[in-house]
Amino acid sequence: MPIEIANLTRSYEGARGAPTVQALRGITLSIPDAEIFGILGPNGAGKTTLVRILATLLTPTSGTANVNGLDVVTDAKEVRRQVGVAFGGERGLYDRLSATDNLRFAAQLYSVSPRRIRGRVSELLELVGLADKSKARVETFSRGMKQRLHIARALIHDPAVVFLDEPSSGLDPVAARALRELAGELRERGKTILLATHSMVEADELCDRVSIISSGEILRMGTPEQVKADVSLGRILEVEAYDDPAEAISLIRTLPTVSAVEHASSGDTVRVIVRLEPESDMSVADIISRMDGNRIGRAFDREPTLEDAYVSIVEAGIR
């Protein structure tokens, strides 16, 4: 197995007498070859801590973590040769250097053979869609272009395992889709990818398996389909309202077979999401009838998404 983790914990001393923070609490999992494995969780759940331990940037408090059979503590130097890490954000690149020079510098740090550097740099710039920007300074790049260059740099030494920590954070939908396509291509090339993300679309589309963690513990693990099926979410009705539906929402919450009601505002529109018990025969029309006086936009009955399952699991874990 490229990645094997057993009973992994990480604690931080609290500042000025504050209680010790348990960032990871007994994480155990295995990730096979050529799998994209997603780590999902709220801010502070322990996702980045886990990635940093596997990348040998942090040491665990207890437990073990192996990458390609190498211990991340005792074999840290060799582990670094076998992994590539791309953290989200724009830091870590040299803005006044070109894309080519950034990759050449990274290649030298990883002791890539001088005879291979030119070909490797060209190959990676082509892979991430930056071949036509090879001579341009990075300071002229968009955020999405910088993210792709981060991934190219993580691949410069041809690692077997790649860690992507929030790679699409802050990207527009077009750039985020391009990154998802790139991650899929890396899997086709046999790379094992650990993906830490907040994007449920990204996880559902890309990941072979996902784990949902909160407060340093794994709450659920499986394929996206298994996670959705394991959570008894029943049916979900969605209605868009253009007035203030607060009174209607209060009424809907009291209806039989309604297990939860959420709402989110976007401009002049309020999305009302009604979760029903599995046996409920309530329809969209029944919900709309309770929203008398509200101007209604789209209304539909849908299957639960990975985001629905994630919210339900994390909320239950917090309670």
Side-chain angles (χ1 to χ4, degrees):
M1 290 279 183
I3 297 176
E4 292 189 278
I5 301 169
N7 299 314
L8 195 69
T9 71
R10 171 69 191 195
S11 303
Y12 295 95
E13 292 296 326
R16 297 181 180 178
T20 299
V21 177
Q22 298 286 338
L24 296 177
R25 303 167 185 262
I27 299 291
T28 296
L29 58 88
S30 298
I31 305 175
D33 287 316
E35 178 174 273
I36 299 182
F37 187 90
I39 302 286
L40 314 178
N43 291 328
K47 301 186 301 297
T48 296
T49 298
L50 178 58
V51 172
R52 288 182 177 275
I53 288 174
L54 291 172
T56 75
L57 300 175
L58 286 175
T59 56
T61 302
S62 65
T64 61
N66 294 330
V67 177
N68 284 342
L70 301 167
D71 186 276
V72 297
V73 177
T74 59
D75 304 310
K77 187 175 180 179
E78 186 58 34
V79 169
R80 291 183 197 121
R81 294 193 180 102
Q82 302 204 24
V83 303
V85 186
F87 290 108
E90 300 187 26
R91 293 190 300 175
L93 298 172
Y94 295 93
D95 282 352
R96 301 190 69 179
L97 296 181
S98 68
T100 293
D101 287 340
N102 267 275
L103 294 185
R104 282 177 176 167
F105 180 64
Q108 290 169 356
L109 290 178
Y110 279 102
S111 301
V112 176
S113 167
R115 291 178 296 179
R116 290 189 58 213
I117 289 178
R118 177 179 294 182
R120 185 66 180 155
V121 168
S122 297
E123 176 189 352
L124 289 175
L125 289 174
E126 186 70 38
L127 175 66
V128 301
L130 293 175
D132 60 337
K133 298 291 184 181
S134 62
K135 301 301 181 184
R137 285 187 176 185
V138 171
E139 63 189 357
T140 67
F141 284 12
S142 67
R143 183 172 183 135
M145 293 165 67
K146 288 181 178 179
Q147 292 289 66
R148 283 184 276 155
L149 187 58
H150 270 297
I151 293 175
R153 189 184 63 174
L155 297 170
I156 194 68
H157 54 304
D158 197 23
V161 179
V162 181
F163 303 131
L164 302 179
D165 188 14
E166 303 291 350
S168 61
S169 175
L171 298 188
D172 64 73
V174 173
R177 176 176 289 182
L179 274 178
R180 291 198 296 272
E181 291 173 352
L182 174 57
E185 186 167 346
L186 293 177
R187 173 175 51 193
E188 292 300 314
R189 292 181 175 221
K191 305 296 183 187
T192 298
I193 299 174
L194 180 67
L195 172 69
T197 182
H198 282 300
S199 171
M200 297 302 113
V201 172
E202 194 167 74
D204 207 356
E205 181 178 320
L206 276 179
C207 294
D208 301 291
R209 290 186 301 146
V210 299
S211 67
I212 297 175
I213 70 173
S214 182
S215 300
E217 296 181 296
I218 294 178
L219 303 181
R220 197 66 55 94
M221 183 160 55
T223 67
E225 291 73 23
Q226 287 171 338
V227 170
K228 286 181 279 189
D230 287 349
V231 180
S232 299
L233 292 171
R235 292 165 47 235
I236 294 180
L237 308 180
E238 260 191 56
V239 178
E240 288 183 351
Y242 296 102
D243 300 297
D244 181 5
E247 186 175 339
I249 289 172
S250 296
L251 172 61
I252 292 168
R253 283 197 174 103
T254 67
L255 296 175
T257 74
V258 171
S259 58
V261 180
E262 305 164 20
H263 62 281
S265 299
S266 177
D268 297 330
T269 307
V270 178
R271 244 170 92 234
V272 181
I273 303 168
V274 183
R275 297 186 196 174
L276 303 174
E277 301 293 344
E279 70 278 5
S280 175
D281 60 359
M282 193 172 293
S283 69
V284 168
D286 294 324
I287 298 299
I288 292 175
S289 70
R290 266 72 176 187
M291 299 181 71
D292 183 44
N294 283 272
R295 291 174 297 151
I296 303 299
R298 295 189 307 153
F300 51 93
D301 188 332
R302 65 171 174 79
E303 293 297 316
T305 64
L306 184 59
E307 180 176 338
D308 297 319
Y310 167 85
V311 171
S312 176
I313 291 166
V314 170
E315 286 181 346
I318 292 172
R319 288 197 295 270

